Amino acid sequence: LFAAGSFISASTGSQREVQTEQKKLPEKEVTPKKETPPQTEQVIEPVIESQPVKILRTINTKADSVKIILYDDGEVDGDIVTVFDNGDMAAHKLLLTNEPWQLTVALPAIGSKHTIELLAENVGAIPPNTAYILVLAGDERVEVKISSDKLSSAGIVIQRN
């Protein structure tokens, strides 16, 4: 098959006729695709297994908000945790390092309470999974060392009084 058309040269501006050859491709047998259901947004559900939670410390404060800062405790060895605040996922598969990870929680009313739970996703190169938690509540500074493994979670409770 041949097709004819005109071509205008960009450099000279002159028009000339051109003829091109079009080849017919061999026909392929096409198999119909199976219908796939429409894609939906992936939802990641919190992975709270029936693990016991060791509450290592209850911190009472008069502050209306607190900062919770996490580091790997001891040697940085690849510990990974998922952090929950009152059962809601605050961080998923967080790699603990010597750089701080921070969470601020509000305690708007007297009696407000937050349970911060660390679920060990691994035990790093040196078992168990260890975390250093620094809680800053107004002028108060509280340090907690947590260790957990795949069989149990550990956490702290912070409440306003």
Side-chain angles (χ1 to χ4, degrees), residues 112-130:
S112 296
K113 181 168 128 177
H114 283 266
T115 301
I116 306 300
E117 177 187 346
L118 274 63
L119 173 71
E121 296 288 349
N122 71 0
V123 291
I126 307 167
N129 185 308
T130 56

Side-chain angles (χ1 to χ4, degrees), residues 54-72:
K54 297 181 285 186
I55 299 299
L56 300 178
R57 184 115 181 231
T58 298
I59 300 166
N60 293 299
T61 183
K62 295 184 184 316
D64 60 358
S65 69
V66 298
K67 284 185 183 176
I68 300 163
I69 302 169
L70 294 177
Y71 298 90
D72 194 338

Side-chain angles (χ1 to χ4, degrees), residues 7-74:
F7 171 76
I8 300 176
S9 172
S11 58
T12 64
S14 63
Q15 181 175 351
R16 64 184 176 124
E17 293 296 316
V18 293
Q19 204 171 36
T20 60
E21 183 179 353
Q22 294 180 341
K23 294 184 179 180
K24 189 172 182 180
L25 296 174
E27 291 186 24
K28 285 185 176 180
E29 190 174 310
V30 178
T31 56
K33 290 185 177 181
K34 293 181 182 176
E35 285 191 34
T36 56
Q39 294 288 338
T40 58
E41 189 173 338
Q42 182 181 4
V43 177
I44 298 174
E45 294 293 326
V47 187
I48 302 178
E49 299 168 10
S50 58
Q51 294 182 345
V53 179
K54 297 181 285 186
I55 299 299
L56 300 178
R57 184 115 181 231
T58 298
I59 300 166
N60 293 299
T61 183
K62 295 184 184 316
D64 60 358
S65 69
V66 298
K67 284 185 183 176
I68 300 163
I69 302 169
L70 294 177
Y71 298 90
D72 194 338
D73 187 36

